[in-house]
Amino acid sequence: MNKLIITKTPFRISFFGGGTDYPGWFRENSGAVLATTIDKYCYITCRLLPPFFEHKHRIVYSHIENVQHNYEIQHPAVRGVFNWANVAEGLEIHHDGDLPARSGLGSSSAFTVGLVHALKGMRGELVSKHQLAQDAIHIEQNLLNENVGSQDQVSAAYGGFNRITFHRDDSFDVAPVTFNAARREELRSHLMLCFTGFSRIADAIAKSKIDNLKNRAVELNRMGEMVDEAIGILLNSNTPIDEFGKLLDLSWKYKRSLSDRVSTPEIDEIYEAAMQAGAIGGKILGAGGGGFMLLFAKPEKQAAIRERLKKLVHVEFNFDNLGSRVALYQPDGL
């Protein structure tokens, strides 16, 4: 019997409150973020590996690993998840992503969530969205000792457009932000996603921010306040949607101050060019230093912005509402 499972886990766009989701902050101050998942995904294919090969596990991503023991696995997240799950059976893991890794869209946590989901499914275990997020946070922060916040794992597990609150006791609440379809489409039509052309290792940038948290209390408190301000803008259809973009611009100025590694001269140049071409606001997604830039602009201005930033890759997207899910399950491999 050769079980096969494929999980499909969304990437996310974080609008406001990033930085307040680090344990070093919310354990003393609590935190909140406003984020949505999008229709770009991490796919994890997992199957039992028949015992006919020289290797026990096969892991396929940008590299191919054939190993006998869990500790030999080079991919940190796969090794961490396998050890956490006490994987004893031989497995083959394939990773595919709609967008590049290390791009600020929460792809690393989407990978962890998707792999945990797949292993649970292989064992016939149903797992709640809450448990899936908790497990991924525990693996990344406590077992892998990565300098990551807690929002990406929650967004990947839950999906949707949410206000996520982080409490001092490490618990979290997820409150969907429900606004009418016309307003939702108005927001989406004002958003642009473009790839700066360079990826980065988020861990080092995040560490520089974490080391500086206590010195940036004023900025982080203000960034946290913007979460509810942004929700207020979305829920009040009489408020011009442009106000959301202006708030993004303000948030980006605060985010840049958290560490001198969040932005670079190249990123500043891209952002300034977009603003000159008609953008109202925007930000680098994720820890910073590269990856994807989110821009906010009136639809009629977007062609001029694309032309100004024509060296960059522009990605069309929609919002995703479902979170991590099992896309295919074949318990008998048929």
Side-chain angles (χ1 to χ4, degrees):
M1 194 160 75
N2 191 9
K3 285 185 184 178
L4 172 72
I5 195 166
I6 300 175
T7 58
K8 178 181 179 180
T9 305
F11 297 151
R12 65 96 189 97
I13 286 173
S14 177
F15 294 110
F16 296 100
T20 72
D21 66 311
Y22 288 111
W25 174 261
F26 67 69
R27 283 174 182 161
E28 292 187 21
N29 307 278
S30 73
V33 300
L34 179 65
T36 185
T37 45
I38 61 174
D39 62 344
K40 300 293 179 275
Y41 303 96
C42 163
Y43 300 89
I44 301 288
T45 303
C46 180
R47 73 180 185 106
L48 286 175
L49 202 57
F52 307 124
F53 303 96
E54 291 182 0
H55 52 268
K56 183 174 184 178
H57 302 308
R58 180 174 171 85
I59 299 107
V60 181
Y61 50 111
S62 54
H63 302 284
I64 297 176
E65 297 189 49
N66 296 317
V67 301
Q68 285 288 4
H69 305 284
N70 293 355
Y71 64 79
E72 295 175 316
I73 298 171
Q74 296 298 304
H75 192 295
V78 177
R79 186 176 65 248
V81 173
F82 272 37
N83 287 335
W84 167 80
N86 295 313
V87 170
E89 64 271 47
L91 293 177
E92 181 167 21
I93 305 291
H94 279 250
H95 165 251
D96 298 283
D98 286 333
L99 296 173
R102 298 173 181 166
S103 57
L105 295 168
S107 56
S108 298
S109 293
F111 181 98
T112 305
V113 167
L115 183 55
V116 170
H117 204 168
L119 292 185
K120 293 277 190 180
M122 290 291 283
R123 294 173 176 178
E125 298 176 24
L126 287 175
V127 58
S128 70
K129 294 177 183 295
H130 194 84
Q131 189 62 51
L132 199 51
Q134 279 189 321
D135 289 343
I137 290 169
H138 170 65
I139 290 164
E140 292 188 355
Q141 292 180 358
N142 302 328
L143 303 185
L144 298 178
N145 293 314
E146 292 181 348
N147 293 300
V148 293
S150 300
Q151 65 162 311
D152 293 357
Q153 306 87 338
V154 178
S155 279
Y158 277 80
F161 202 114
N162 302 307
R163 183 194 198 278
I164 308 169
T165 308
F166 300 96
H167 302 292
R168 295 176 185 179
D169 63 358
D170 279 10
S171 65
F172 58 84
D173 297 316
V174 180
V177 180
T178 53
F179 48 110
N180 66 53
R183 187 67 159 177
R184 195 179 176 90
E185 178 52 29
E186 186 181 21
L187 174 64
R188 192 201 64 77
S189 70
H190 280 70
L191 297 174
M192 302 174 68
L193 193 60
C194 55
F195 188 55
T196 59
F198 35 93
S199 301
R200 75 287 179 274
I201 304 293
D203 192 76
I205 298 165
K207 186 177 189 309
S208 70
K209 287 199 289 190
I210 291 167
D211 291 345
N212 208 24
L213 286 177
K214 287 185 169 57
N215 300 324
R216 289 290 178 261
V218 172
E219 291 88 342
L220 284 162
N221 278 318
R222 182 70 189 96
M223 291 167 75
E225 290 169 358
M226 289 180 189
V227 170
D228 288 330
E229 289 177 32
I231 293 171
I233 292 167
L234 295 175
L235 296 185
N236 185 351
S237 55
N238 293 322
T239 302
I241 197 73
D242 289 6
E243 294 302 314
F244 192 94
K246 292 174 184 175
L247 201 60
L248 268 179
D249 179 55
L250 183 59
S251 175
W252 170 236
K253 289 182 171 70
Y254 278 106
K255 181 174 178 173
R256 287 178 82 256
S257 74
L258 297 181
S259 163
D260 58 8
R261 301 185 64 174
V262 168
S263 193
T264 65
E266 293 83 2
I267 291 170
D268 290 342
E269 193 177 314
I270 292 167
Y271 190 79
E272 193 53 41
M275 295 293 278
Q276 288 173 5
I280 296 168
K283 59 178 290 198
I284 277 286
L285 294 168
F292 276 90
M293 180 175 284
L294 179 72
L295 295 170
F296 186 101
K298 291 180 184 295
E300 61 267 25
K301 295 281 190 182
Q302 292 182 13
I305 295 169
R306 280 196 188 88
E307 176 61 27
R308 187 71 181 270
L309 303 180
K310 60 186 177 185
K311 292 181 179 178
L312 306 185
V313 177
H314 294 263
V315 177
E316 299 291 329
F317 69 92
N318 283 301
F319 298 139
D320 164 278
N321 294 318
L322 295 178
S324 185
R325 58 263 206 191
V326 174
L328 177 70
Y329 180 49
Q330 294 181 339
D332 51 9
L334 298 177

